[in-house]
């Protein structure tokens, strides 16, 4: 029925714009991270008018990263909204990264007219976006008729959240938005998704098998990954660890699931326990490159061939994760909440603590490493180095345990991960599975929006550059974000020279003495330049207290970093003969 006819007959109409917003709101999705333009400008306006929070970014990749981490932090898919072709492609990196990291997210992009795109007749921002998105995310859908919007949004939500979470692409051709239908029919077409992430209960024999193996272990270890943090089974995970007395390790985003100061935390003895454990129980962590594929190299350090002889229990929602790198003796397939609670039921009252020999060996190793680190942290060299700067951050996080910590860079990442203790679950978000640069400001913005907590972003100067323009967004929304740029004049270090003697700087080196703090001042935020730990401490304390957008340019010794941070071993080296 066209608009005129409906007016005549008195039927009120709705359109594609309204239906999309109604469908999201019906499913308790109330925030959109995006960037306006044809054909979705009115969608952003209408969303705001209808009471949704619309956070408008300067580049879609940052909006996409914001949506992705919002998904991780809330267990609801984060929404990123972009224009067609280039905007879509800008968002796609974030969608793909979300999928790789198992973060639930939906990228909604406007697209050009199907008829023109399919005949390749050169429409405005023409691109077959659905085909491009498909291999890079968990699921991709296109909606051609307004009556299908409800079901499409439902499918997208279910695909993002169920099983292993991930990124979903929703393609909305421009014509869809203006399509109308009677309000009542439109309402009926919407779907409230029931139980979008159904529990997956593990099989009892798989639970017994896991417990059996754990009981026989002489040197057991529990390894928590970000899947465990995402699952929000915090109390049961803690109970399992404390009841069994088994030492545990946390992957970077699982830090704080139990406080890093917990007596059973083996983090400071990482290399030792990874090499020496005989049975390792993985809880929402994959045996990918971050764990040397379970085969024996730990962050570049070659462990004795113990890894090959280790036995694994793996708790994961994805059945095909088991045996992906090494044989898994006891796969436990299900959601982490159900699996951990089944394990707790099964261990019974008469659990034997792990052999004292193992616990003592870990404690000795841990104490040795902590003492070594304490010396480095206490030193106060000039210029400031990563350790003396991060010693301050460590204290600030200790004093503000509910603050969110965002972290990217190479040395800036690796040192922060090992120096800054976390105390609460899901407070640390970082470069994740890909080790991707550019998540910084997007993650920081969504962390502030979704949690309402103060956010501390510890950034390498290179890492910061990937999303630095979003300081304007931070100022515009007046977010309580304190960005600390650990500025060592470049990628890894600032000391490389151009071997030809030419005028171009070496590829890893930036403008010396750059003042990133001025960037924040340009938009009305607080910028501070610091060269000593006490100046850094003062500036961070003021920032956290004031909740004002702040950027601290922390001048770090440009010789302090190492190539690739702590993953030097992954770097192919030049042959000496070439
Ligand atoms: P990390 O990088 O911290 O080691 P990974 O991203 O490699 O963590 O692994 C996370 C794992 O957690 C993935 O294999 C994913 O399938 C799994 N996972 C995510 N959510 C759940 C859940 N609710 N229950 C069970 N497994 C989950
Ligand atoms: N591009 C993208 C998207 N991701 C990447 N990981 C890289 C490039 C390569 N890369 C790293 O792995 S770390 C890094 C780059 C460019 C920056 C390191 O420099 P930094 O940190 O200033 O951020 P440090 O403290 O100087 O090591
Ligand atoms: Mg740097």
């Amino acid at each position: 029925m066209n608009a005129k006819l409906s007016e005549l007959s008195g039927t009120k109409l709705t359109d594609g714009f309204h239906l999309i917003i109604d469908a999201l709101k019906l499913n308790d999705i109330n925030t959109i991270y995006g960037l306006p333009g044809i054909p979705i400008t009115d969608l952003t306006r209408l969303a705001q008018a209808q009471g949704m929070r619309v956070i408008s970014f300067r580049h879609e990749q940052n909006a996409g990263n914001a949506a992705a981490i919002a998904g991780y932090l809330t267990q609801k898919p984060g929404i990123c909204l972009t224009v067609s072709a280039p905007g879509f492609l800008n968002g796609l990196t974030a969608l793909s990264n979300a999928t790789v990291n198992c973060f639930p997210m939906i990228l909604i992009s406007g697209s050009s007219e199907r008829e023109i795109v399919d005949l390749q007749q050169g429409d405005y921002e023409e691109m077959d976006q659905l085909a491009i998105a498909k291999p890079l995310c968990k699921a991709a859908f296109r909606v051609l008729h307004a009556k299908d919007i409800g079901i499409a949004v439902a499918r997208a939500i279910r695909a993002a959240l169920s099983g292993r979470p991930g990124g979903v692409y929703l393609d909305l051709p421009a014509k869809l938005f203006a399509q109308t239908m009677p309000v009542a029919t439109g309402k009926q077409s919407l779907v409230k998704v029931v139980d979008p992430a159904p529990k997956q209960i593990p099989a009892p024999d798989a639970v017994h098998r896991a417990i059996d193996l754990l009981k026989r272990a002489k040197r057991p270890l529990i390894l928590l990954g970000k899947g465990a943090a995402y699952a929000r089974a915090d109390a049961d995970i803690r109970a399992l660890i404390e009841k069994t007395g088994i030492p545990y390790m946390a992957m970077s985003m699982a830090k704080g699931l139990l406080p890093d100061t917990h007596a059973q935390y083996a983090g400071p003895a990482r290399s030792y326990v990874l090499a020496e454990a005989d049975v390792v129980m993985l809880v929402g962590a994959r045996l990918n490159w971050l764990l040397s594929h379970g085969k024996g190299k730990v962050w570049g350090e070659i462990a004795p061939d113990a890894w090959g002889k280790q036995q694994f229990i793996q708790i994961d929602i994805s059945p095909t994760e088991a045996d992906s790198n090494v044989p898994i003796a006891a796969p436990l397939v299900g959601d982490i909440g159900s699996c951990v609670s089944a394990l707790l039921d099964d261990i019974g009252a008469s659990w034997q603590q792990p052999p004292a020999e193992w616990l003592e060996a870990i404690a000795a190793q841990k104490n040795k490493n902590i003492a070594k680190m304490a010396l480095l942290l206490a030193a106060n060299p000039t210029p400031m180095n990563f350790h003396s700067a991060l010693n301050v951050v460590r204290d600030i996080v200790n004093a503000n345990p509910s603050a969110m910590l965002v972290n990217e860079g190479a040395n800036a990442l690796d040192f922060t991960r090992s120096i800054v203790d976390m105390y609460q679950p899901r407070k640390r978000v970082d470069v994740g599975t890909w080790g991707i640069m550019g998540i910084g400001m997007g993650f920081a913005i969504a962390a502030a929006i979704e949690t309402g907590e103060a956010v501390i972003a510890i950034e390498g100067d290179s890492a910061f550059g990937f999303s630095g323009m979003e300081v304007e967004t931070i100022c515009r929304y007046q977010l309580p974000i304190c960005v600390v740029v650990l500025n060592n004049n470049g990628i890894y270090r600032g000391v490389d020279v151009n071997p030809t003697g030419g005028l171009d700087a070496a590829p890893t080196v930036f403008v010396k003495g750059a003042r990133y703090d001025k960037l924040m001042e340009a938009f009305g935020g607080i910028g501070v330049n610091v060269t000593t730990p006490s100046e850094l401490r003062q500036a961070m304390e003021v920032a956290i207290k004031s909740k004002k957008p702040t950027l601290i340019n922390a001048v770090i010794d440009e010789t302090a970093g190492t190539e690739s941070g702590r993953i030097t071993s992954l770097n192919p080296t030049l042959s000496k003969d070439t």
Side-chain angles (χ1 to χ4, degrees):
M1 199 184 319
N2 68 31
K4 281 232 171 76
L5 271 178
S6 76
E7 268 167 37
L8 284 176
S9 63
T11 313
K12 284 201 95 179
L13 294 181
T14 186
D15 57 20
F17 285 119
H18 283 85
L19 287 166
I20 292 156
I21 290 160
D22 291 348
L24 293 172
K25 282 171 64 176
L26 182 65
N27 285 288
D28 301 320
I29 295 175
N30 295 304
T31 305
I32 291 177
Y33 299 93
L35 203 161
I38 295 172
I40 50 101
T41 315
D42 271 349
L43 189 59
T44 60
R45 291 196 182 109
L46 185 69
Q48 190 171 53
Q50 301 274 327
M52 292 186 84
R53 190 102 200 255
V54 181
I55 307 297
S56 202
F57 282 71
R58 306 302 296 261
H59 189 288
E60 290 89 350
Q61 191 176 122
N62 306 319
N65 285 325
I69 212 65
Y72 170 75
L73 292 172
T74 64
Q75 288 188 325
K76 283 193 280 184
I79 305 293
C80 174
L81 179 62
T82 80
V83 302
S84 349
F88 156 77
L89 286 175
N90 286 344
L92 195 56
T93 303
L95 185 72
S96 198
N97 186 56
T99 306
V100 164
N101 281 283
C102 317
F103 300 154
M105 156 181 184
I106 302 174
L107 173 67
I108 303 179
S109 295
S111 59
S112 308
E113 296 314 331
R114 291 260 26 100
E115 294 82 348
I116 305 179
V117 174
D118 288 348
L119 269 172
Q120 298 174 33
Q121 294 174 313
D123 203 358
Y124 169 71
E125 298 193 343
E126 174 182 299
M127 178 176 277
D128 188 359
Q129 295 165 199
L130 185 72
I132 290 165
K134 241 178 209 166
L136 297 173
C137 60
K138 192 176 166 193
F141 307 106
R142 176 184 289 137
V143 198
L144 292 177
H145 303 291
K147 68 176 171 51
D148 294 329
I149 287 172
I151 213 75
V153 168
R155 295 207 69 177
I157 292 171
R158 202 174 273 290
L161 289 176
S162 60
R164 171 182 279 177
V168 177
Y169 175 58
L170 198 56
D171 191 79
L172 306 183
K175 263 190 193 163
L176 178 77
F177 298 108
Q179 284 178 24
T180 56
M181 61 198 287
V183 167
T185 322
K187 207 166 176 190
Q188 275 172 11
S189 73
L190 300 183
V191 179
K192 173 137 175 103
V193 180
V194 177
D195 195 13
K199 273 191 183 169
Q200 275 178 237
I201 313 287
D205 58 334
V207 177
H208 299 324
R209 191 186 296 122
I211 289 288
D212 206 44
L213 183 53
L214 213 49
K215 269 188 185 156
R216 283 187 280 119
K218 300 254 174 333
R219 297 181 305 279
L221 176 71
I222 293 175
L223 211 161
L224 306 174
K226 58 173 143 19
Y230 173 79
R232 292 184 176 255
D234 309 343
D236 274 358
I237 288 175
R238 185 177 190 131
L240 182 69
I241 287 173
E242 291 182 344
K243 272 199 182 155
T244 58
I246 296 174
Y248 74 97
M249 281 260 322
M251 300 302 283
S252 69
M253 282 177 57
K255 272 167 72 84
L257 199 43
L258 283 75
D260 286 356
T261 45
H262 195 284
Q264 285 167 257
Y265 183 48
R270 179 187 165 99
S271 305
Y272 177 78
V273 288
L274 287 182
E276 298 298 325
D278 62 350
V279 174
V280 180
M281 180 158 82
L282 302 158
V283 187
R286 287 169 286 186
L287 286 176
N288 55 17
W289 69 280
L290 287 158
L291 287 164
S292 304
H293 307 279
K295 290 174 186 166
K297 270 183 175 180
V298 182
W299 289 104
E301 295 150 46
I302 306 204
D305 37 25
W307 262 118
K309 296 176 199 146
Q310 278 168 338
Q311 287 191 292
F312 292 95
I313 300 162
Q314 183 160 31
I315 304 183
D316 206 291
I317 198 139
S318 166
T320 52
E321 191 52 44
D323 303 335
S324 60
N325 285 272
V326 292
I328 301 296
L332 195 51
V333 176
D335 69 279
I336 286 166
S338 301
C339 290
V340 173
S341 108
L343 289 172
L344 274 170
D345 288 347
D346 217 53
I347 59 174
S350 61
W351 182 267
Q352 278 228 322
Q353 299 289 304
E357 217 176 275
W358 173 232
L359 302 183
E360 282 158 16
I362 295 173
Q365 195 68 34
K366 201 173 140 176
N367 291 339
K368 198 171 93 189
N369 291 347
I370 288 175
K372 236 198 287 178
M373 178 62 89
L375 283 179
L376 290 168
L377 293 179
N380 190 3
T382 312
M384 183 159 65
N385 64 8
F386 287 100
H387 288 93
S388 59
L390 288 168
N391 186 39
V392 172
V393 178
R394 173 187 163 90
D395 289 348
I396 300 280
V397 170
N398 178 278
N400 300 278
S402 63
M404 292 292 306
L405 184 78
V406 178
N407 191 201
E408 61 176 338
N411 293 279
L413 174 89
D414 293 337
F415 285 123
T416 305
R417 188 187 48 240
S418 55
I419 292 172
V420 178
D421 288 333
M422 303 305 296
Y423 304 89
Q424 294 178 13
R426 293 169 296 281
K427 295 297 182 186
R428 193 192 142 90
V429 290
D430 64 30
V431 299
T433 303
W434 262 349
I436 193 173
M437 298 299 112
I439 49 86
M441 298 306 101
F443 276 19
I445 289 166
I449 301 269
E450 301 292 342
T451 70
E453 301 285 352
V455 178
I456 299 167
I458 304 297
E459 301 274 313
D461 51 330
S462 165
F464 173 70
F466 286 74
S467 66
M469 195 63 207
E470 302 297 344
V471 293
E472 189 277 331
T473 312
I474 293 172
C475 290
R476 189 164 14 108
Y477 294 96
Q478 283 297 301
L479 299 173
I481 297 174
C482 172
V483 182
V484 179
V485 176
L486 297 175
N487 187 357
N488 62 350
N489 294 342
I491 298 175
Y492 314 136
R493 264 188 310 236
V495 292
D496 278 9
V497 287
N498 179 342
T500 70
L503 287 179
D504 288 354
T508 55
V509 168
F510 298 152
V511 165
K512 304 263 181 193
R515 291 287 302 275
Y516 294 96
D517 48 314
K518 303 264 185 200
L519 208 58
M520 185 58 104
E521 287 178 351
F523 303 105
I526 311 286
V528 193
N529 187 55
V530 304
T531 59
T532 64
S534 61
E535 287 170 0
L536 176 59
R537 189 180 303 272
Q538 157 88 6
M540 287 190 79
E541 279 171 357
V542 171
I544 302 262
K545 210 164 170 200
S546 74
K547 301 200 156 154
K548 289 202 177 119
T550 301
L551 193 153
I552 302 168
N553 183 61
V555 180
I556 300 291
D557 182 354
E558 64 174 4
T559 68
T562 57
E563 176 94 5
S564 310
R566 300 230 322 245
I567 50 175
T568 312
S569 64
L570 297 179
N571 229 0
T573 41
L574 281 172
S575 160
K576 296 270 182 302
D577 302 330
T578 52

